[in-house]
Every structure is written in C-alpha cells, then in structure tokens.
Amino acid sequence: MNMFGLTIKTEAQEPLFTSERTDDIFGYTIIFGALSLFMANLNINSKRLNQTLLNLGRIGSTPQGMQRLAFTQYDIDARDMTLSLMRSAGLHTRIDPAGNIIARKEGTSSDLAAITLGSHIDTVPNGGKYDGALGVMGAIEVAQTLEETQTKLRHPLEIAVFTNEEGTRFKRWLFGSRAMAGLLQSDDETAADDEGIPMSSRLADIGGNMLQISKAPRQVSEISAYFELHIEQGPELHQSGVPIGVVTGITGRWVYGVEIIGVANHAGTTPMSGRQDALVSASQLVLAVQRMASDLEICRVGTVGNIQSYTNAANVIPGRISLGVEFRDVDMNCLAAADQELRKLANQIEQKDRVTITITQFENTESVQIKPTMQNLVEQAANLTGLSHKRLPSGAGHDAQAMANITDTAMIFVPSVNGISHAPEEYSNPEDCSNGTQVLLNLLMLADERLRNN
Ligand code: GLV
Ligand code: MN
Ligand code: MN
C-alpha cells in the first residue's frame, strides 16, 4: 500500500542490463567494485550547485513568490542563464521545435543512445525556487563535474529543459516533454491564452516553431533512459528524515475548465428569490469537488484552484463564473469515476439553480509506474552515495511521466521542508539538494556502465 491507499501493480522484472548484479557473477562483481571505487572520487561541487540554484532563483523572484511562468521574460532570462551554464559545462546546445533546450555531449561509443537528465525551469504563479530548478541545475552540475574531471561516458549525455511543464500558460502542461515523447494532440497546436494570443507566437519567442512541431518527437532508439531529480513537494521524506526518495510511480491527472452561466443583475434591486447567481452555483461545485475526494474517497485528491468572476464587482450579481478543476490518482479508474460524479453533480446544480454549466476537459494525463529495475538502480546509486532511501509515489506530475512513453525513466526525490511546494515558502536545504545531485551523478555512472546497448 502506498500513501494514496492504493497498491501499485508492479510489472514483471525485465532484463535491463547487460548483466544483472549477482554475487556469483565474478566478472561483474569486479566491474561493480571498480566502478564504486572510481565513483567515490567523483564528487559534485555542493557549493557551486547551491550558488547556481540561488542565482536562478533570483530570476522571477517577487515578494509574492516566483513568477517565472513559461514564455515570460523571466522564463526567457532563466533559459539564457541555463544555456550559458550548459556551454560552460562543455555541452553543445540546441532548441527543438517545442522550445525544449537540449544540451548534449557525445560518448565514447558511437552506437549507444543518449542518457537524458532533465526537468523544467518554469514556475507556477507565486511559486517556489526549487520545483524543476533543482533537476535542471543538478543535471548541469553533474555535467560540469564530468567535464572538470575529464570523465568520459560511453553513452552520449543529454540534458533537457522542458517547455511549459506547469501549463499555467495555455493550460497545456508538460508541453515540451509531451512533444518530445510524441504525445501532443491537435488542440495543443492551436492553444491560445486567455487574451487570445496563440501559443505558436509565444513558442517563437523562445526559439521554438509550431509549424515544425511534428519534428519534436524523439525516436525510442535515441534515448536509453531518462532520469529526473526533483523535490518531493510533499511531506513524506521531511517527516521521516530520509534524504532520498525512490519514486515508484507518478499520479494521473485530469483537468477541467467549468463555465457557469447565470444571469447578471443589480445586487441592490433583484429579490433574493429571483436570482440565478453563477457564483452561488460555483460555490456548491467547489464543495462538491472537495467532498468527492475527502468524504466519498472517489479519488485521491480533487481541487478547484482557479476561479474567475467576469463582472467581479460587489454590486453585480455574478452572471458568469469559470473554474479550474482537477482530480489526481494513480488509479485511472478512480479518475473516470470522479469525472462521472462531477458531471452528475453539475447536472443537479443546473436543474436546481436554473444555470447552465459547461464542462471542458483540458488535460487527461495517464499515471505512470516506474519499472522495478529502474527503482533498483536509483537505490543502488543512493547506497553508493551512503544515503538512506525510501520508495514513494509522486502526487505531483513530472516531465518523466511523458518521457516514460519513449524510454525507461527513474526519479530521485529530496525532502521538501514541511512538505510545502507551489508556494513561496517552498524550500529544500542545501545538503539535501547536494545529496540528490550526487545520487543523480552516481545513477548516471551506474547506468552508463550497465544499460544495454540500444
Ligand atoms: C506539476 O507541478 C503539478 O502540478 O503536479
Ligand atoms: Mn516540477
Ligand atoms: Mn510544479
């Protein structure tokens, strides 16, 4: 059972490596021993990593929190800083049609596919400095360490910075990673923001090209594995005092726009009995979403995180309200049940309040299970780093979830102080950020040694 009260089904173990580690494979034990001795000398620079994180955290920082939403000038400035760090780490950089930054260094074996590290640097409104940023700055620190120590990998190394992971702009989350994984749908290409500005024009601002978007997907044969370091964004590691989380699976997420149309009228003259107040109906739906997850336990969590009143004046009865609703669960059947319940309750409110409710589904993201072989590899990397670890599922969504469509993925979590994230108080202490980055480096070294040829 996991913290969601669900048992995650695990797949049958697949042979992932050229030779699985067992004590009776003599030759392999020697290789493993040699590798761990070598890795003992390969240490990331903790001071530099944390300074880089601080520097990135200044871009888009306001008293209300981070405002580095995708495609904003803050995002563009942060991308520039990231590109220059990547080049200093000896990587060759390019921007793909989805605006993803892809940095690469060739390996010594020309027949091997890349091992990709990545995450995102966009934030939610009033967000924190670590969500996504740690994965990107950690990956660059890993590349810089390899560069300084002249350490050659067999596989090409890639670092991906994915466009619009948060999806606050254009309601198209995981945009860059879905593009790379071949998961975009036609409405992704025609998306516009609330002011009607098409995403294609914003994409051009960051060097992408919507007309070329069909060239963004990578082939399965191009990437051997994808690894993402991330803050946990929940309380489990912080509460248990365990420094490293080994992610077992990533939640599914269904997101809706709900529009409620009533009748706008004068707040002073319209009798209470005759009103069709869209905000009163919306309030009932907000409570219904909360009850669906907390009391009825139809799915793990349900949230109304966004509300807009189009008149928004104290002396006008609200005639039009829009809500942003989401449900999350690793069990997709629970999300289907939540969808049905939402529509049923909306229908009841419509009848009772004489309003019209339109429900549009914006996102339908599948949950992902991380292969046991990949979880084992993260555990071995943590053991080599001398750090304790625990397995846990992710209640947040990640680019790794899209990348799982085209390659084996693994995720490393580090503690979030008090479990706070998507808020200005989001914080992971420097030691935990360094620990996670060292595990990422060790994971990369293990995978470079052990992943079979593609
Ligand atoms: C991404 O940050 C999410 O909303 O889980
Ligand atoms: Mn994130
Ligand atoms: Mn986030």
mmCIF file of all heavy atoms in Angstrom, residues 120 124 131 165-166 230 233 397 421-422, ligand 3:
data_model
loop_
_atom_site.group_PDB
_atom_site.id
_atom_site.type_symbol
_atom_site.label_atom_id
_atom_site.label_comp_id
_atom_site.label_asym_id
_atom_site.label_seq_id
_atom_site.Cartn_x
_atom_site.Cartn_y
_atom_site.Cartn_z
ATOM 1 N N HIS A 120 12.363 21.075 -15.547
ATOM 2 C CA HIS A 120 11.848 22.332 -16.116
ATOM 3 C C HIS A 120 12.287 23.512 -15.265
ATOM 4 O O HIS A 120 12.640 23.342 -14.081
ATOM 5 C CB HIS A 120 10.314 22.291 -16.162
ATOM 6 C CG HIS A 120 9.690 22.143 -14.792
ATOM 7 N ND1 HIS A 120 9.188 23.205 -14.082
ATOM 8 C CD2 HIS A 120 9.511 21.059 -13.985
ATOM 9 C CE1 HIS A 120 8.720 22.786 -12.911
ATOM 10 N NE2 HIS A 120 8.911 21.481 -12.820
ATOM 11 N N VAL A 124 4.918 27.950 -11.304
ATOM 12 C CA VAL A 124 3.512 28.368 -11.206
ATOM 13 C C VAL A 124 3.502 29.825 -10.709
ATOM 14 O O VAL A 124 4.534 30.317 -10.253
ATOM 15 C CB VAL A 124 2.736 27.459 -10.218
ATOM 16 C CG1 VAL A 124 2.601 26.061 -10.757
ATOM 17 C CG2 VAL A 124 3.383 27.448 -8.840
ATOM 18 N N ASP A 131 11.175 23.714 -7.380
ATOM 19 C CA ASP A 131 10.392 22.828 -8.235
ATOM 20 C C ASP A 131 10.923 22.923 -9.664
ATOM 21 O O ASP A 131 10.843 23.993 -10.281
ATOM 22 C CB ASP A 131 8.919 23.270 -8.142
ATOM 23 C CG ASP A 131 7.994 22.534 -9.091
ATOM 24 O OD1 ASP A 131 8.440 21.628 -9.812
ATOM 25 O OD2 ASP A 131 6.790 22.890 -9.102
ATOM 26 N N GLU A 165 6.266 23.111 -18.400
ATOM 27 C CA GLU A 165 5.878 21.925 -17.630
ATOM 28 C C GLU A 165 4.634 22.202 -16.824
ATOM 29 O O GLU A 165 3.734 21.383 -16.712
ATOM 30 C CB GLU A 165 7.030 21.499 -16.709
ATOM 31 C CG GLU A 165 6.811 20.150 -16.030
ATOM 32 C CD GLU A 165 6.148 20.226 -14.666
ATOM 33 O OE1 GLU A 165 5.870 21.336 -14.162
ATOM 34 O OE2 GLU A 165 5.868 19.170 -14.094
ATOM 35 N N GLU A 166 4.587 23.398 -16.213
ATOM 36 C CA GLU A 166 3.481 23.695 -15.299
ATOM 37 C C GLU A 166 2.151 23.888 -16.030
ATOM 38 O O GLU A 166 1.094 23.652 -15.464
ATOM 39 C CB GLU A 166 3.793 24.952 -14.471
ATOM 40 C CG GLU A 166 5.030 24.837 -13.587
ATOM 41 C CD GLU A 166 4.838 23.884 -12.406
ATOM 42 O OE1 GLU A 166 3.773 23.269 -12.305
ATOM 43 O OE2 GLU A 166 5.782 23.763 -11.610
ATOM 44 N N HIS A 230 14.179 15.716 -8.455
ATOM 45 C CA HIS A 230 13.117 16.687 -8.169
ATOM 46 C C HIS A 230 12.909 16.763 -6.662
ATOM 47 O O HIS A 230 13.214 15.802 -5.950
ATOM 48 C CB HIS A 230 11.820 16.236 -8.858
ATOM 49 C CG HIS A 230 10.886 17.358 -9.183
ATOM 50 N ND1 HIS A 230 10.097 17.975 -8.245
ATOM 51 C CD2 HIS A 230 10.614 17.983 -10.358
ATOM 52 C CE1 HIS A 230 9.389 18.932 -8.831
ATOM 53 N NE2 HIS A 230 9.678 18.972 -10.114
ATOM 54 N N GLN A 233 7.953 17.704 -2.931
ATOM 55 C CA GLN A 233 6.761 18.565 -2.945
ATOM 56 C C GLN A 233 5.675 18.084 -1.995
ATOM 57 O O GLN A 233 4.556 18.591 -2.015
ATOM 58 C CB GLN A 233 6.177 18.714 -4.372
ATOM 59 C CG GLN A 233 7.211 19.150 -5.401
ATOM 60 C CD GLN A 233 6.629 19.366 -6.768
ATOM 61 O OE1 GLN A 233 6.591 18.448 -7.578
ATOM 62 N NE2 GLN A 233 6.169 20.578 -7.039
ATOM 63 N N GLY A 397 2.833 15.883 -10.807
ATOM 64 C CA GLY A 397 3.147 15.422 -12.159
ATOM 65 C C GLY A 397 4.556 15.850 -12.548
ATOM 66 O O GLY A 397 5.109 16.783 -11.958
ATOM 67 N N SER A 421 5.090 23.129 -1.346
ATOM 68 C CA SER A 421 5.528 23.388 -2.729
ATOM 69 C C SER A 421 4.433 24.153 -3.471
ATOM 70 O O SER A 421 3.315 24.275 -2.992
ATOM 71 C CB SER A 421 5.832 22.068 -3.428
ATOM 72 O OG SER A 421 6.324 22.314 -4.726
ATOM 73 N N HIS A 422 4.765 24.665 -4.638
ATOM 74 C CA HIS A 422 3.854 25.543 -5.398
ATOM 75 C C HIS A 422 3.443 26.721 -4.517
ATOM 76 O O HIS A 422 2.292 27.175 -4.548
ATOM 77 C CB HIS A 422 2.620 24.779 -5.912
ATOM 78 C CG HIS A 422 2.909 23.979 -7.158
ATOM 79 N ND1 HIS A 422 1.929 23.355 -7.893
ATOM 80 C CD2 HIS A 422 4.064 23.714 -7.789
ATOM 81 C CE1 HIS A 422 2.471 22.741 -8.925
ATOM 82 N NE2 HIS A 422 3.773 22.940 -8.884
HETATM 83 MN MN MN B 3 5.268 22.256 -10.289
#
